[in-house]
């Protein structure tokens, strides 16, 4: 038993560094907006696409993509590349700046998500600002939620450099402000969305959590007043030993060795958590009557040849395609169960929300990101605490994560905000 607790403790410590992405904004570099000659040469050597993309704006083809399934498609070559670079984004976090930390290939930024039956418009900062002018958007979730906010921040900074308004002592909460548009962008750290307490044994962290599935975390619940958009996400922290409670009673556990407690899969806990969180939004009396709550579905890690602590890496340089047999999507995988749990929770919230005037939507990015093993930092990250370990959970910037903001803008337009 002592060996098990020691192992869980070590795992908890390393997981803390992998998933918390500590202080990504503390050492912000504001680099030159002009990349080196070598980088222009690298980009010019990229292969020509088989089918060029037609760049459209929402106004040009609004009806076509409003009725389209944006989440079923493929990645296609994109010679234009990202809207920003490692040199043009003043807020890019060190831990996601893969080029700065030695990544030499540039092909991974030259792919674009192509829905099967329509075009996905490129993200346009001016269009986004037109929608959110005078409003507030908050990302609530773990470090991957923060990764999403960081990507959006870089995209928007190409139109206006934001003002850093607030950070808490632990750098877990952050507020940015765009004065020209009176737009506020926030991130609130919440690894489980509900109350989760780590058990401490003999003064040491155990890696085992008590999770209260029906009690949302106050640190985000008490800050809903005045919000116009909420982007919810969570998942990676559910791959831990969890004791599950509802109404104060132990109802089961995840990854536990207690024979007297009902064993549950991680997606069971995840679905209960999203049900509780979205129900709380639905019952919120002080919330904005036009509040739009969007759930981003789970995104997989891509460790190969081991896990993060056993030599696993993610050093591929191109996406999987739809015909890649080695990466067939298995609906029994926990990642797909997480996705299903989240989408079911959204549908349940929609049904209740129709009676209350609340709005809910989803960004179903799971399939698209399954196909991008090339988009993670791997060893090209600010890993001064974990020399030699690969980050195959978070995403390089710029990189495939930027499509989440393309889809977010589309979701806002579909919701009638354009």
């Amino acid at each position: 038993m002592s060996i098990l607790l020691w192992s869980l403790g070590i795992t908890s410590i390393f997981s803390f560094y992998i998933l918390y992405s500590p202080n990504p904004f503390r050492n912000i570099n504001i680099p030159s907006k002009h990349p080196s000659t070598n980088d222009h040469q690298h980009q010019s050597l990229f292969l020509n696409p088989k089918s060029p993309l037609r760049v459209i704006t929402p106004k040009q083809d609004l009806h076509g993509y409003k009725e389209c399934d944006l989440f079923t498609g493929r990645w296609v070559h994109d010679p234009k590349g990202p809207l920003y670079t490692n040199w043009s984004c003043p807020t890019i976090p060190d831990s996601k700046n893969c080029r700065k930390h030695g990544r030499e290939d540039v092909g991974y930024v030259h792919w674009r998500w192509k829905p099967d039956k329509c075009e996905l418009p490129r993200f346009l900062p001016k269009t986004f600002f037109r929608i959110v002018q005078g409003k507030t958007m908050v990302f609530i979730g773990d470090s991957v939620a923060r990764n999403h906010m960081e990507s959006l921040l870089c995209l928007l900074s190409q139109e206006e450099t934001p003002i850093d308004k607030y950070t808490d002592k632990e750098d877990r909460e952050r507020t940015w402000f765009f004065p020209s548009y009176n737009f506020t962008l926030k991130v609130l750290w919440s690894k489980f969305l509900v109350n989760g307490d780590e058990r401490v044994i003999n003064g040491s962290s155990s890696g085992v959590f008590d999770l209260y599935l029906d009690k949302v975390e106050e640190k985000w619940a008490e800050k809903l007043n005045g919000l116009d958009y909420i982007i919810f996400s969570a998942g990676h922290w559910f791959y831990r030993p969890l004791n599950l409670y509802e109404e104060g009673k132990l109802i089961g556990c995840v990854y536990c060795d207690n024979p007297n407690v009902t064993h549950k899969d991680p997606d069971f806990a995840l679905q209960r958590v999203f049900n509780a969180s979205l129900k709380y939004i639905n019952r919120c009396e002080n919330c904005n009557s036009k509040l739009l709550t969007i759930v981003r579905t789970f995104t997989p890690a891509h460790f190969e040849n081991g896990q993060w602590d056993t030599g696993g890496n993610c050093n591929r340089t191109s996406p999987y395609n739809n015909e890649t047999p080695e990466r067939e999507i298995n609906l029994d995988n926990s990642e797909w169960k997480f996705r299903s749990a989240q989408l079911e929770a959204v549908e349940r919230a929609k049904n209740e929300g129709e009676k209350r005037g609340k709005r809910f939507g989803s960004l179903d990015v799971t399939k698209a990101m399954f196909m991008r093993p090339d988009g993670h930092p791997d060893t090209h990250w600010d890993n001064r605490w974990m020399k030699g370990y690969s980050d195959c959970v978070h995403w390089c910037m710029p990189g495939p994560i930027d499509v989440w903001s393309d889809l977010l803008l589309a979701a806002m337009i579909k919701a009638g905000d354009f």
Side-chain angles (χ1 to χ4, degrees):
M1 186 66 178
S2 61
I3 294 176
L4 173 62
L5 292 176
W6 179 86
S7 177
L8 286 173
I10 293 298
T11 299
S12 177
I13 291 170
F14 283 117
S15 298
F16 176 88
Y17 289 121
I18 281 284
L19 291 177
Y20 266 68
S21 285
N23 305 324
F25 287 118
R26 288 283 172 84
N27 298 307
I28 289 177
N29 295 306
I30 303 182
S32 167
K33 290 181 179 290
H34 304 289
S36 68
T37 304
N38 289 338
D39 286 283
H40 284 304
Q41 291 173 345
H42 277 308
Q43 294 182 16
S44 67
L45 290 173
F46 191 77
L47 296 175
N48 290 326
K50 295 180 180 178
S51 55
L53 290 164
R54 181 169 60 93
V55 181
I56 59 177
T57 68
K59 277 189 173 182
Q60 290 173 316
D61 196 9
L62 182 60
H63 176 75
Y65 93 90
K66 258 194 169 184
E67 306 302 322
C68 177
D69 176 8
L70 298 175
F71 309 114
T72 300
R74 65 193 188 280
W75 292 93
V76 297
H77 288 293
D78 177 17
K80 292 193 68 172
L83 183 64
Y84 66 95
T85 71
N86 300 79
W87 296 266
S88 69
C89 175
T91 61
I92 189 168
D94 215 38
S95 58
K96 316 303 186 315
N97 195 337
C98 302
R99 296 297 309 280
K100 175 181 177 180
H101 294 287
R103 181 161 185 173
E104 296 182 356
D105 66 294
V106 296
Y108 68 98
V109 301
H110 286 276
W111 294 90
R112 180 159 178 76
W113 180 247
K114 171 67 175 69
D116 286 340
K117 297 183 179 179
C118 64
E119 300 287 345
L120 175 63
R122 289 183 184 274
F123 186 88
L124 297 175
K126 286 184 181 295
T127 300
F128 186 89
F129 278 128
R130 175 182 172 184
I131 294 173
V132 301
Q133 186 166 1
K135 298 179 180 179
T136 298
M137 174 179 287
V138 62
F139 287 78
I140 303 175
D142 58 18
S143 57
V144 183
R146 183 166 185 150
N147 202 173
H148 186 181
M149 188 279 298
E150 293 162 348
S151 168
L152 176 61
L153 194 64
C154 274
L155 290 164
L156 295 177
S157 70
Q158 305 310 291
E159 177 68 20
E160 180 178 50
T161 300
I163 297 173
D164 185 356
K165 293 283 288 187
Y166 171 78
T167 181
D168 64 355
K169 292 181 180 180
E170 295 182 342
D171 199 20
R172 293 287 171 253
E173 297 185 12
R174 199 80 182 203
T175 300
W176 300 85
F177 182 65
F178 294 85
S180 297
Y181 302 93
N182 189 26
F183 172 58
T184 301
L185 183 61
K186 298 182 177 183
V187 61
L188 300 178
W189 166 263
S190 181
K191 52 186 176 288
F192 293 117
L193 302 183
V194 298
N195 289 340
D197 301 322
E198 186 172 8
R199 293 185 175 183
V200 177
I201 300 176
N202 296 327
S204 300
S205 300
S206 67
V208 179
F209 288 83
D210 292 322
L211 203 60
Y212 300 90
L213 303 177
D214 52 355
K215 294 183 178 180
V216 300
E217 240 182 344
E218 290 184 0
K219 64 182 180 181
W220 66 259
E222 64 187 12
K223 297 178 181 179
L224 298 181
N225 189 24
L227 299 181
D228 300 283
Y229 298 97
I230 297 174
I231 317 299
F232 267 130
S233 58
H236 287 283
W237 281 85
F238 288 77
Y239 289 117
R240 283 165 175 73
L242 306 172
N243 295 297
L244 309 177
Y245 294 85
E246 281 187 343
E247 298 181 350
K249 298 179 181 179
L250 182 64
I251 65 166
C253 60
V254 176
Y255 299 131
C256 59
D257 56 3
N258 190 336
N260 298 319
V261 181
T262 303
H263 288 220
K264 301 289 188 180
D265 291 332
D267 59 285
F268 170 87
L270 186 76
Q271 185 165 38
R272 293 297 181 97
V273 163
F274 274 90
N275 285 342
S277 300
L278 299 182
K279 181 179 180 180
Y280 189 90
I281 299 294
N282 253 326
R283 306 290 172 88
C284 176
E285 296 182 356
N286 297 323
C287 288
N288 185 337
S289 61
K290 295 184 178 180
L291 173 66
L292 176 59
T293 302
I294 296 176
V295 171
R296 177 187 53 76
T297 61
F298 185 73
T299 58
H302 287 94
F303 288 101
E304 298 185 60
N305 307 310
Q307 293 302 310
W308 68 269
D309 57 347
T310 58
N313 57 41
C314 45
N315 56 12
R316 293 181 182 248
T317 57
S318 61
Y320 295 118
N321 59 46
N322 289 333
E323 291 75 39
T324 305
E326 63 182 316
R327 195 61 178 180
E328 289 180 357
I329 296 174
N330 182 353
L331 296 181
D332 291 328
N333 284 347
S334 60
E335 292 94 341
W336 281 92
K337 290 181 179 179
F338 277 15
R339 167 188 176 270
S340 297
Q342 290 169 312
L343 294 179
E344 288 172 12
V346 171
E347 288 305 309
R348 185 176 290 104
K350 279 183 179 179
N351 293 335
E352 181 179 348
E354 288 178 358
K355 308 169 188 175
R356 300 172 177 271
K358 299 292 177 65
R359 302 188 300 163
F360 296 89
S362 58
L363 295 184
D364 184 7
V365 301
T366 306
K367 179 180 179 181
M369 304 314 287
F370 246 125
M371 301 165 70
R372 294 307 307 268
D374 57 324
H376 300 286
D378 191 35
T379 58
H380 307 298
W381 64 297
D382 181 21
N383 62 344
R384 55 185 177 273
W385 294 284
M386 297 179 64
K387 296 293 185 183
Y389 287 88
S390 295
D391 181 357
C392 303
V393 174
H394 303 98
W395 302 89
C396 290
M397 293 172 50
I401 192 174
D402 297 320
V403 77
W404 299 1
S405 293
D406 295 347
L407 295 167
L408 174 60
L409 178 55
M412 294 163 65
I413 294 172
K414 280 192 172 189
D417 287 6
F418 180 75

